[in-house]
Amino acid sequence: MAQQRGLTLVMGWLFVLLFNSPVGCRWVSEYSGGCWNTSEVEPFNCTSDDTTSLYKKVKNALWCTEIRPVQQPWDILNVKLGLTIAGIHDVNEKDQVIILSIVTTLDWEVPFLKWDNATCGTNKISYPKSELWLPDIQIEEFVDEDRSTDLPYVQLNYTGGVHLVQRKKVFATCDMDIYRFPFDVHTCSLTFHSYMLEEDEMSLTSKSREFIQRSSVTSDSGWILEEVTQVNNTFNLTTKRYFSSVRYNFTIKREASLYVVNLLVPSCFLSLLDMFSFFLPPHNVDRSAFKMTLILGYTVFLLITNDILPASGSKTPLINVFFSLSLALMVASLLETMFIVNVSNNANHYPRIPRWLHVLVLNYLARLLFMSPKPLGVPREVILNPHAKVTPDTSGEAMVPADTGEKDEMECAAVVDELKKVAREVLTIRFQIEEHLRPNQGNNDWKMIANVIDRLLFLFYVLFVVASYITIIAIWASSTVRHSK
């Protein structure tokens, strides 16, 4: 029994010595999954102030690189995260992906990595990061392979602080709404957390928002970085595992000047030209040719600017609706001009206007548009001979002297018959001329309907142009005011 007790006591002391030694700690970490230093570590002194002596001391001090650098297993490692948005490469509205260049900094403290800066001669050194424990911080919104620039060194401070810098090209998902293009504003987020160390093992916090806003780029590749805010919260992977996380919400705004000059201004000019074409005579063929030229030019303009417009699979941008309505009004104005030209040339062949159409258009719409039907003109009196206003004598009796012979009577009767035929033909011609010159009520009504439709479409065109311009200016002004704030 005494021998067994002595053997147990010796083995216990050996285990304590092995556990507290660097080699023993590495052996225990391999088989048990962890090790820690229970004693308070004092800053070490260098034998000389040269670089070789300091690096040897640092390498000896890093006695446990496989697990968290904490003194007690229940201690929480505090990691401070810093974010700098170095550039906005591209925004893919169709795939809902934003491509960023970011610079992240991680700062934590290794309690057993301290040295006396007076004897060692420096406050900080660069050290290979492959020989240190590094936190596994990942981005939740990442949708592509990791394209970070590998910096092989970290910075060590004499107080035990570790400073790690990483530069990454991030393909992150972002919920975008391009309904107000090109005056759209989007809010995206980047969430940093660990997938291994839970919140009772590592606490992740962020640097100040002022640092992020000051160090990040403000404008790049057609986008303006308006605001960056951070939120510290807890991320739960399962119902039993919770991780400390930091989410950065950043707001970006599209620079609209390029799109206003290349898209909106030409479209507005073409719409104004088509609107002012209503002042051309509607019965003239030149008005139709002018409108057809405008439609052709507007179609070519839409084809050229198709590559500038964003591709989106969710909601149609408001500018596409504006372009479609402008083209629809141009086509409607061309069809209305063709109708007016047809009415002007073929109104005589049209049937009588239906009663309901006459009441709707001529009695109501014409009054709303301040148009009144023109009254029929007074029939013109056609006088073939100003000296022949007396009704001709058609009694058939010729004024023949009594002493004229039978032959003369027959000649006079023949002359009278011929004169009667000429008089009837002249009267027929007169009636036809009067019928031609007399105003036709049916033709007048059809032309009046065409004029009312022309005025109504012109009014719609004016309202559309005014409403569109007011909407564009209001959205642009609101986005500018928001950016200035």
Side-chain angles (χ1 to χ4, degrees), residues 42-154:
E42 297 292 335
F44 56 81
N45 297 323
C46 299
T47 57
S48 61
D49 57 355
D50 59 344
T51 307
T52 305
S53 175
L54 177 59
Y55 273 84
K56 286 182 179 179
K57 290 289 186 179
V58 170
K59 188 173 182 179
N60 293 332
L62 294 174
W63 50 269
C64 193
T65 62
E66 289 84 5
I67 62 172
R68 293 180 305 122
V70 292
Q71 290 184 339
Q72 303 294 338
W74 53 82
D75 290 343
I76 299 177
L77 179 65
N78 296 316
V79 180
K80 182 167 289 188
L81 172 66
L83 173 68
T84 297
I85 300 178
I88 304 174
H89 294 285
D90 190 18
V91 176
N92 191 337
E93 295 88 354
K94 184 176 182 180
D95 297 334
Q96 303 284 293
V97 173
I98 182 172
I99 304 176
L100 303 169
S101 285
I102 64 173
V103 178
T104 59
T105 59
L106 296 175
D107 295 275
W108 68 95
E109 185 177 347
V110 180
F112 43 81
L113 186 61
K114 299 179 182 180
W115 68 84
D116 186 5
N117 58 339
T119 59
C120 295
T122 183
N123 295 332
K124 55 188 176 182
I125 62 172
S126 297
Y127 199 80
K129 69 176 185 179
S130 58
E131 299 185 12
L132 277 86
W133 176 90
L134 301 177
D136 60 319
I137 306 298
Q138 305 296 329
I139 302 177
E140 183 179 347
E141 291 83 5
F142 211 87
V143 294
D144 202 352
E145 61 181 6
D146 190 5
R147 301 185 183 183
S148 57
T149 303
D150 189 16
L151 300 178
Y153 297 98
V154 296

Side-chain angles (χ1 to χ4, degrees), residues 3-292:
Q3 292 180 354
Q4 290 181 355
R5 276 195 222 133
L7 183 60
T8 302
L9 183 61
V10 171
M11 290 181 63
W13 279 105
L14 288 176
F15 179 79
V16 170
L17 293 175
L18 181 64
F19 185 82
N20 288 328
S21 66
V23 177
C25 183
R26 292 182 182 273
W27 181 83
V28 172
S29 66
E30 291 180 0
Y31 292 91
S32 64
C35 64
W36 53 87
N37 190 358
T38 58
S39 61
E40 188 72 24
V41 179
E42 297 292 335
F44 56 81
N45 297 323
C46 299
T47 57
S48 61
D49 57 355
D50 59 344
T51 307
T52 305
S53 175
L54 177 59
Y55 273 84
K56 286 182 179 179
K57 290 289 186 179
V58 170
K59 188 173 182 179
N60 293 332
L62 294 174
W63 50 269
C64 193
T65 62
E66 289 84 5
I67 62 172
R68 293 180 305 122
V70 292
Q71 290 184 339
Q72 303 294 338
W74 53 82
D75 290 343
I76 299 177
L77 179 65
N78 296 316
V79 180
K80 182 167 289 188
L81 172 66
L83 173 68
T84 297
I85 300 178
I88 304 174
H89 294 285
D90 190 18
V91 176
N92 191 337
E93 295 88 354
K94 184 176 182 180
D95 297 334
Q96 303 284 293
V97 173
I98 182 172
I99 304 176
L100 303 169
S101 285
I102 64 173
V103 178
T104 59
T105 59
L106 296 175
D107 295 275
W108 68 95
E109 185 177 347
V110 180
F112 43 81
L113 186 61
K114 299 179 182 180
W115 68 84
D116 186 5
N117 58 339
T119 59
C120 295
T122 183
N123 295 332
K124 55 188 176 182
I125 62 172
S126 297
Y127 199 80
K129 69 176 185 179
S130 58
E131 299 185 12
L132 277 86
W133 176 90
L134 301 177
D136 60 319
I137 306 298
Q138 305 296 329
I139 302 177
E140 183 179 347
E141 291 83 5
F142 211 87
V143 294
D144 202 352
E145 61 181 6
D146 190 5
R147 301 185 183 183
S148 57
T149 303
D150 189 16
L151 300 178
Y153 297 98
V154 296
Q155 188 181 79
L156 304 181
N157 193 276
Y158 76 99
T159 59
V162 181
H163 180 71
L164 174 63
V165 179
Q166 293 177 324
R167 185 179 179 90
K168 298 182 178 182
K169 187 176 182 180
V170 180
F171 292 74
T173 59
C174 180
D175 188 12
M176 304 178 192
D177 185 8
I178 60 173
Y179 179 72
R180 297 177 58 176
F181 173 86
F183 311 106
D184 48 338
V185 179
H186 308 291
T187 300
C188 304
S189 61
L190 294 177
T191 305
F192 296 82
H193 60 80
S194 172
Y195 284 99
M196 295 297 297
L197 301 176
E198 301 182 21
E199 62 177 353
D200 57 349
E201 296 175 308
M202 184 184 70
S203 174
L204 185 63
T205 58
S206 173
K207 293 183 178 180
S208 63
R209 185 177 64 89
E210 290 75 14
F211 166 78
I212 302 171
Q213 192 78 26
R214 184 176 62 255
S215 61
S216 299
V217 66
T218 57
S219 179
D220 191 16
S221 66
W223 293 90
I224 300 174
L225 182 63
E226 288 194 327
E227 186 183 10
V228 179
T229 58
Q230 80 272 7
V231 179
N232 297 331
N233 54 10
T234 301
F235 166 75
N236 58 318
L237 186 62
T238 62
T239 56
K240 296 182 179 181
R241 301 191 65 187
Y242 296 91
F243 303 89
S244 177
S245 65
V246 175
R247 185 176 72 250
Y248 294 97
N249 299 324
F250 56 96
T251 304
I252 58 175
K253 173 180 173 293
R254 193 191 304 268
E255 292 183 349
S257 302
L258 174 66
Y259 301 97
V260 171
V261 173
N262 292 334
L263 294 178
L264 293 177
V265 172
S267 179
C268 292
F269 281 161
L270 291 176
S271 298
L272 285 176
L273 280 177
D274 190 55
M275 184 182 69
F276 283 110
S277 66
F278 281 91
F279 292 100
L280 294 176
H283 310 289
N284 197 340
V285 184
D286 294 340
R287 179 170 168 180
S288 301
F290 181 77
K291 288 183 175 294
M292 291 180 64

